[in-house]
Amino acid sequence: MQIVVLPGDGIGPEITTATSGVLRAASERFQLNLRLEEHAVGHASLKLSGTTVRPELLDIVRAADGLILGPTATFDFKDEAHGEINPSRHFRKNLDLYANVRPARTYAGRPGRLGDFDLVVVRENTEGFYADRNMEQGNGEMLVTPDVVISLRRITRLCCERIAHAACRLAMKRRKHLTIVHKANVLRIGDGMFLDICRAAAKDYPGLAVDDILVDAMMAHVVRNPDRFDVIVATNMFGDILSDLTAELSGSLGLGGSLNVGDRYAMAQAAHGSAPDIAGQDVANPVSLILSTALLLAWHGEKTGAVRYEEAAHAIEAAVAKALGEGRATRDVGGRLGTIAAGAAIAEILQAE
């Protein structure tokens, strides 16, 4: 399996190094023959080649079997005309990675803030309130006058249908419960269509229980009783906010894996940002990116029928759980290890099993 690795900015290179060590351990144990091909993106690429994402990088990624993107300083990149491309948006849009799958669960020895739970947020990834993804050319956010801004949201039947089916398929593999999150009482046309399409799609999956909750009420429900949820599907902005909340409720945003999936490609990406304030200090938690790469391996295994990749993914998740339970982790989740040592601990557990 050929994987393109883009370390990114801030803490990205550190957590990517830790993650690569875990992948090498998994490759050796399960005979995956992983080949990691590293390229610069973000500030490092801007300095070297005048752009945050070199034009040829997209073809390199398309020729590979998967992509790992470390955190990047997306807020810094405002002017594409001067090479300041948002790497995350670039790959999500150009690879049509329409589903962002964000699991959140608690771990033994690391209790969540509100008891144990295990859920997944499935977020539409290519349209919605994200103005930089809504237009073929230009941006969906416009400065009409110095005092007036208009931001456009795009909702399409195609995108609603495919994210609905992605969420339904995942729910059928889990506890067969789907929750649709929306704001159809206010966004009557856009969210109304999203809700109707999700309900219609769910009818294709016998035995799937379906409910729907307004997004503002959902924030209260998920804080009050997260263990009632299994798979949650939402439009882009609502899903982004909700998935950060559920990851934090599990113990830390640094424990949330994230996989961006399309029909042909997938990109593992940490659920958090580049955290430049702690970059280079060996204190960043690598678990989010490690779990994200486990999701990537599982996706590849399911896509190709090579069961050993799914077995490796489950083993990585189990090794993370054991490391957290033993306190072999970074300080933000109750451990005493640095970034590289935390990754090495997970790799060691993986090889010892």
Side-chain angles (χ1 to χ4, degrees), residues 189-203:
I189 301 175
D191 271 29
M193 183 172 73
F194 174 77
L195 176 59
D196 289 344
I197 289 173
C198 287
R199 285 173 172 166
K203 293 179 181 178

Side-chain angles (χ1 to χ4, degrees), residues 20-60:
S20 296
V22 173
L23 284 175
R24 284 191 290 270
S27 184
E28 181 178 341
R29 175 180 166 186
F30 292 93
Q31 299 182 350
L32 304 181
N33 190 28
L34 296 183
R35 301 179 303 281
L36 307 182
E37 178 183 343
E38 187 170 309
H39 294 271
V41 293
H43 281 296
S45 178
L46 188 62
K47 183 177 180 180
L48 288 171
S49 34
T51 178
T52 55
V53 183
R54 302 191 328 273
E56 65 269 23
L57 199 51
L58 188 60
D59 287 336
I60 292 171

